[in-house]
Amino acid sequence: MGKETKSKLDIWLSLPRRFLSRLSKVSRDREILILLGVLALGAYLRLWQIQHLFNAIHDYDEAVYALGARFITQGYLPYQDFMVVHPPLYHLVLASIYKVFGYSFFAGKYLSVALSLACIILIYLIGKKMYHPRAGLAAAALFAVSTMMVYLGRRSVQETLGIFFILLAVYFAIDFIFNRKANRALLCGLFLGLAIATKYVFIPAAVAIIAAAILLSMNEGFWQSIKKLGRWELWVMYACFAGIFYAFLLLLRYVFWLDVAVPFIDPTYLTAGDVMVVILVFVVPFFISAVMLKKELPFKKWWLELWGLRRNKGLWLLVGGTVLGFICVTGFFWIRTPQEFFSQTVLLQTDRPLTEFPSLVALIRIAPSAFSFLKMAFLPILLVIPFILIILNKEDFSKSDCFLVVTLVVSLLLCQGFFYLPRYYIALYPFLFLGISWLVPSVNMKLLTAKLKAGLLVVLATLLVFLGVTIVLLNNYTGYDINWSWFASNEEQVCRETVDYLEAAGAKKVYAPNPIYLAMSPNLNGTLAINTFALLWLEKKPPGEIVTDLMNEGVDYVVLDAWTRYWGYPYREEIAELVEEVHLNGRLVKVVEPDSRCSTEIYLLGAKAEGIFNGDFEHWVRGEEMKSPLGWDPVLIKGEGDEADMGEAYVGDKKCLRLAIYEDGEQDGELEWTHAGIVQEMPFPEGQITVGVFPEVNTEILGRTTLGAGIHFMDEDGHSVVIGFSDETDTEEIFQCEECGLMFVIKPAQLYQWSEQGIDLPAYWSRAGWLQPEKINMLMTISTRYDSPGDYVFYVAGIEADVD
């Protein structure tokens, strides 16, 4: 009995012994220790401040994906019930996590961190297989500290999941290509299909891996022949011919004044003319150079060799596995909602108005003016071509080198059809890191000081640059984009206060053009129309129709934030119209953080409009150098030495708007007047507008004085009613200029004290015989001519109106 007990005890003790033994071996393995250090650094960079929001632009995509996954857990169907502009795999993975652990916006971020750390291990194993362990460590270190990989590895977006699948595919592709294991080809294809089902930006990587597998399945002489593409004579001649053709375009453009696009100077698009220009400058010179140097590839022999691969079982498994992996994820949607799936994931994406071709040229064109984060994200993309040429000129050009050259070249070429932002080149990054890693010499660590090579210096320098810039940019965790000054670091505070208000108000259904406010709260019920970017600019849905649909859906609260102030040309018009529709169909009930450009405005949708937006001046926001009533646009015109200003004031215990000017009496060229004003569009009132004014100067007009302070009402047909105030009249005086479409109204008002004035616009329009418009612009202004120098101020407060 004692022997049996002892035997069982030995069995139980043997497990921890083996574990400790392996742990001891690991602790003495320098490569494993270095890899653990790389993982620790990568984890720190990705987890640091991860629960802080970035800014309205960065948080938008994450919120859309988080809410889409949450809708799936609630039983809604993508593409049918709500818009999804990418393949569904990431949404389905995120929804599975929510289903098991419950909804949390930050769950997607932690998923990306875990996947990104797994990618570090995978790229180490791949580099070790392709070259040697130290190359794997170099590739892992580059991946760990790369600015773009850190940025994507801490955000709940699709790219990290797609990179994970691509690296898995590469891992099995190497076994298939190098060791002829056909079963690994099927696994490689499956993961490529899953990557494409995550996001279409991984199509270039999938095609590149398949192309490399096909080429490396040929006889060695065929794949070795691509070394000819790296000969310096070819590229010197190519540069000469490309320069000649480029100079020809410049001649046509600036000498003969022909309307022809010039790459690097003008955007080039997928139009017939622009494509011909691109082919002339970038493609034709290559073939001319190849023919002149007689370095053309033996296309006939290549075709015969390719035809011979039709019986290669592994290649069929690779292609078939790719199709199978994609169909396993998307097949249900092809059957259930084929039109919606294809339209949203393909047609809408290919109709983006700013897609330039080739996008690498656009990237180079905008890189000098890009902000810090984009410059660092562009750097790896711009390194691709030099590293392709370096690898092609290796003396011992191997299968691994050929694999990297083909994947880099094919990926780079196919990425030209995507948008020029770095995330659309994400397929290139893992191959580039592997391409850089072979520069690390395969020597014993103890001999590094004796056998240090230039390649190692390049890798170390790249690592230090990546790490240094990544740390610097992480310290600005509000978005990596320090030039976007209108986004503040208090966005998280604003978001939480906004959510708290909506929850306390008992909001039934909420809409926000930036959906981060809904994503941050598991308790708020949001509209399914969460992707405003897709609705406005991909689907091109009219803003008025969007707001009407929201009201029909039962949305009661709308949140507007800095996201609506970001968009410039060509998007500005649509987003401004959307904001105006919210203004006209809702009432402002809350402003969070009014002293910051990161403020939010909360509207009760369907409530009766106030007539004049923010008419009581309760809410003020800070512009670049001034405060202004929310919803009003400042109009400041001044010459050198003059001043025009506006802002919040308290006069006679009344909160009001202060318009102030100073004219120095000097004429500045053709500028004779100094103006300070503020304007906003409003519905045409059905009754009287009531306004409180505090005039400090005699504001008579019609030539009696060069000073003019007053309120202007202007419609789209060029009609204007100008209200002035005077202490020299006891009754209202009206003057009309029928030829110029103007009506001047002078109202009696005491100087230096508040008076309440009624403005009956319908009566004035009827008296003038003008057709009443639906909307009108209201401008409050004070102005003076250069021959009336001095300081002048005009105060306005308490605006109210009756509207339809």
Side-chain angles (χ1 to χ4, degrees):
M1 190 72 178
K3 291 182 179 180
E4 291 180 6
T5 304
K6 185 176 180 180
S7 176
K8 290 181 179 179
L9 182 62
D10 289 339
I11 293 173
W12 283 104
L13 290 175
S14 66
L15 295 174
R17 282 199 203 103
R18 286 198 295 269
F19 174 76
L20 291 172
S21 175
R22 291 182 180 178
L23 185 63
S24 177
K25 289 180 181 179
V26 168
S27 65
R28 293 193 299 269
D29 189 329
R30 292 187 177 182
E31 291 171 9
I32 297 300
L33 290 177
I34 293 173
L35 179 62
L36 291 174
V38 169
L39 283 169
L41 177 61
Y44 174 77
L45 293 175
R46 286 155 177 78
L47 290 171
W48 189 80
Q49 298 279 17
I50 194 171
Q51 292 213 4
H52 282 276
L53 299 179
F54 285 141
N55 62 39
I57 297 301
H58 288 262
D59 298 332
Y60 181 90
D61 286 348
E62 293 185 86
V64 167
Y65 303 146
L67 289 173
R70 189 166 86 183
F71 292 154
I72 292 174
T73 64
Q74 295 170 351
Y76 294 105
L77 187 65
Y79 313 108
Q80 175 179 288
D81 298 323
F82 62 96
M83 182 179 290
V84 177
V85 296
H86 298 294
L89 183 55
Y90 182 74
H91 284 84
L92 298 175
V93 171
L94 206 54
S96 300
I97 293 174
Y98 294 159
K99 202 72 174 178
V100 175
F101 299 103
Y103 175 78
S104 169
F105 170 71
F106 294 102
K109 289 179 175 287
Y110 289 114
L111 171 64
S112 292
V113 171
L115 289 170
S116 190
L117 296 180
C119 289
I120 293 175
I121 298 173
L122 279 172
I123 204 169
Y124 159 73
L125 295 175
I126 293 168
K128 183 178 179 180
K129 273 190 173 188
M130 295 180 69
Y131 295 109
H132 47 77
R134 287 165 185 79
L137 289 173
L142 288 166
F143 192 101
V145 303
S146 165
T147 307
M148 197 65 177
M149 295 300 100
V150 171
Y151 173 67
L152 295 173
R154 52 189 278 120
R155 299 184 70 215
S156 52
V157 291
Q158 302 103 326
E159 280 79 2
T160 304
L161 179 62
I163 294 172
F164 176 72
F165 288 135
I166 289 294
L167 289 174
L168 280 173
V170 172
Y171 183 84
F172 291 113
I174 292 170
D175 278 343
F176 164 60
I177 295 170
F178 289 56
N179 303 318
R180 300 300 180 185
K181 296 181 179 179
N183 61 326
R184 298 302 176 92
L186 178 62
L187 290 172
C188 174
L190 285 172
F191 287 119
L192 290 180
L194 293 177
I196 298 172
T198 302
K199 198 169 186 178
Y200 289 147
V201 294
F202 294 104
I203 291 177
V207 175
I209 292 172
I210 294 173
I214 292 173
L215 180 62
L216 290 169
S217 297
M218 296 180 180
N219 293 328
E220 184 173 348
F222 286 94
W223 64 259
Q224 281 280 1
S225 64
I226 72 167
K227 274 181 62 65
K228 297 177 182 179
L229 297 176
R231 298 291 294 274
W232 67 269
E233 300 100 323
L234 174 66
W235 292 102
V236 170
M237 186 170 287
Y238 169 79
C240 292
F241 280 113
I244 291 171
F245 286 124
Y246 195 80
F248 176 67
L249 288 179
L250 293 175
L251 182 70
L252 293 177
R253 173 72 176 274
Y254 296 107
V255 176
F256 295 100
W257 300 103
L258 296 180
D259 186 17
V260 57
V262 180
F264 301 109
I265 297 177
D266 306 310
T268 51
Y269 300 97
L270 285 171
T271 62
D274 287 357
V275 171
M276 289 179 63
V277 165
V278 169
I279 293 174
L280 180 68
V281 174
F282 299 109
V283 180
V284 172
F286 176 81
F287 285 100
I288 293 176
S289 303
V291 170
M292 292 188 67
L293 291 173
K294 298 182 180 179
K295 301 297 183 183
E296 67 273 16
L297 297 174
F299 292 109
K300 184 176 180 180
K301 292 182 179 179
W302 274 62
W303 172 250
L304 292 174
E305 183 70 16
L306 282 171
W307 179 251
L309 293 176
R310 68 187 186 278
R311 297 187 181 90
N312 189 308
K313 176 184 175 183
L315 292 177
W316 284 110
L317 287 174
L318 177 59
V319 175
T322 303
V323 175
L324 179 62
F326 180 73
I327 293 298
C328 282
V329 177
T330 63
F332 170 80
F333 301 101
W334 283 110
I335 297 171
R336 181 68 180 269
T337 57
Q339 183 177 349
E340 292 84 356
F341 177 79
F342 185 74
S343 172
Q344 293 177 33
T345 64
V346 178
L347 296 182
L348 292 182
Q349 294 287 358
T350 56
D351 196 31
R352 295 188 68 170
L354 288 182
T355 300
E356 295 187 30
F357 176 83
S359 62
L360 182 62
V361 174
L363 185 150
I364 295 171
R365 183 171 56 80
I366 68 170
S369 60
F371 46 80
S372 305
F373 170 64
L374 273 185
K375 279 188 172 72
M376 270 311 296
F378 288 159
L379 178 60
I381 302 170
L382 299 178
L383 288 175
V384 168
I385 294 177
F387 266 95
I388 289 173
L389 296 177
I390 291 172
I391 297 171
L392 283 172
N393 283 281
K394 283 183 65 178
E395 292 182 7
D396 54 339
F397 188 73
S398 64
K399 273 192 171 184
S400 296
D401 302 322
C402 182
F403 178 85
L404 290 177
V405 167
V406 174
T407 51
L408 284 171
V409 169
V410 175
S411 297
L412 182 64
L413 289 175
L414 293 181
C415 283
Q416 300 315 299
F418 290 118
F419 199 53
Y420 55 72
L421 289 179
R423 67 174 181 268
Y424 293 98
Y425 280 79
I426 198 65
L428 289 169
Y429 283 80
F431 304 124
L432 176 63
F433 297 152
L434 290 166
I436 297 175
S437 70
W438 72 264
L439 291 169
V440 176
S442 178
V443 298
N444 189 289
M445 296 293 287
K446 295 180 180 178
L447 301 178
L448 278 179
T449 54
K451 295 188 177 182
L452 195 63
K453 296 183 178 180
L456 180 60
L457 289 176
V458 172
V459 176
L460 290 175
T462 308
L463 274 169
L464 289 175
V465 170
F466 280 8
L467 176 61
V469 177
T470 298
I471 291 174
V472 170
L473 294 176
L474 272 175
N475 277 294
N476 178 25
Y477 64 84
T478 58
Y480 289 85
D481 46 333
I482 53 179
N483 288 352
W484 290 356
S485 58
W486 52 87
F487 296 129
S489 59
N490 66 334
E491 188 203 359
E492 184 178 1
Q493 173 195 351
V494 172
C495 183
R496 295 192 184 282
E497 290 186 18
T498 301
V499 168
D500 290 343
Y501 175 86
L502 293 170
E503 291 179 349
K508 297 177 181 178
K509 187 171 285 189
V510 179
Y511 165 73
N514 177 14
I516 186 63
Y517 302 95
L518 295 170
M520 285 290 287
S521 172
N523 302 319
L524 286 178
N525 180 29
T527 172
L528 295 175
I530 55 172
N531 199 336
T532 303
F533 179 88
L535 289 172
L536 281 177
W537 300 308
L538 298 184
E539 193 176 1
K540 297 179 175 59
K541 195 170 186 178
E545 185 179 336
I546 292 176
V547 174
T548 300
D549 290 346
L550 294 175
M551 297 175 69
N552 293 335
E553 188 183 344
V555 171
D556 53 351
Y557 283 92
V558 174
V559 179
L560 302 180
D561 74 339
W563 188 87
T564 61
R565 296 191 290 274
Y566 161 74
W567 298 102
Y569 176 83
Y571 304 120
R572 179 69 253 172
E573 183 177 346
E574 287 87 349
I575 198 66
E577 187 177 343
L578 177 65
V579 170
E580 180 63 22
E581 288 292 336
V582 173
H583 289 175
L584 295 177
N585 291 279
R587 185 172 69 244
L588 179 71
V589 294
K590 178 69 175 178
V591 174
V592 178
E593 289 295 321
D595 291 337
S596 166
R597 294 194 74 176
C598 193
S599 62
T600 63
E601 308 161 19
I602 305 175
Y603 295 84
L604 184 61
L605 195 61
K608 185 179 180 181
E610 293 175 319
I612 298 177
F613 177 51
N614 196 28
D616 58 3
F617 301 100
E618 178 184 356
H619 302 298
W620 292 70
V621 294
R622 186 178 299 280
E624 293 182 0
E625 297 179 355
M626 67 187 73
K627 282 186 174 183
S628 62
L630 194 64
W632 295 74
D633 294 322
V635 180
L636 304 178
I637 301 175
K638 56 185 178 180
E640 185 177 353
D642 304 326
E643 293 296 332
D645 193 17
M646 54 163 289
E648 181 181 10
Y650 285 88
V651 178
D653 296 328
K654 187 186 291 290
K655 185 176 181 179
C656 60
L657 168 73
R658 174 181 179 269
L659 300 173
I661 54 175
Y662 166 73
E663 170 61 58
D664 64 357
E666 299 291 333
Q667 184 176 0
D668 301 300
E670 296 181 358
L671 186 63
E672 297 183 349
W673 292 79
T674 299
H675 304 271
I678 189 167
V679 64
Q680 76 162 265
E681 188 178 67
M682 57 173 282
F684 192 85
E686 62 180 3
Q688 180 172 268
I689 293 176
T690 303
V691 59
V693 294
F694 189 99
E696 284 198 355
V697 296
N698 188 308
T699 55
E700 293 182 16
I701 47 180
L702 299 178
R704 287 190 244 174
T705 175
T706 57
L707 300 177
I711 305 176
H712 301 222
F713 298 92
M714 301 160 285
D715 66 16
E716 294 181 348
D717 295 325
H719 303 134
S720 296
V721 171
V722 182
I723 309 295
F725 306 96
S726 172
D727 61 351
E728 298 179 358
T729 181
D730 295 326
T731 60
E732 181 177 280
E733 300 179 14
I734 300 177
F735 306 88
Q736 184 173 356
C737 175
E738 295 183 0
E739 295 80 10
C740 54
L742 293 177
M743 176 179 287
F744 298 94
V745 180
I746 298 179
K747 288 181 168 289
Q750 293 296 317
L751 300 184
Y752 310 113
Q753 70 181 39
W754 285 106
S755 63
E756 191 172 274
Q757 302 285 340
I759 303 172
D760 192 347
L761 283 186
Y764 297 140
W765 246 257
S766 176
R767 176 169 177 161
W770 302 331
L771 185 66
Q772 288 189 8
E774 293 183 2
K775 299 177 182 179
I776 196 168
N777 282 308
M778 176 179 181
L779 168 68
M780 294 178 289
T781 184
I782 183 170
S783 58
T784 183
R785 200 167 181 269
Y786 73 93
D787 52 7
S788 295
D791 287 289
Y792 304 99
V793 185
F794 181 42
Y795 298 99
V796 185
I799 302 173
E800 297 179 359
D802 293 327
V803 297
D804 289 329

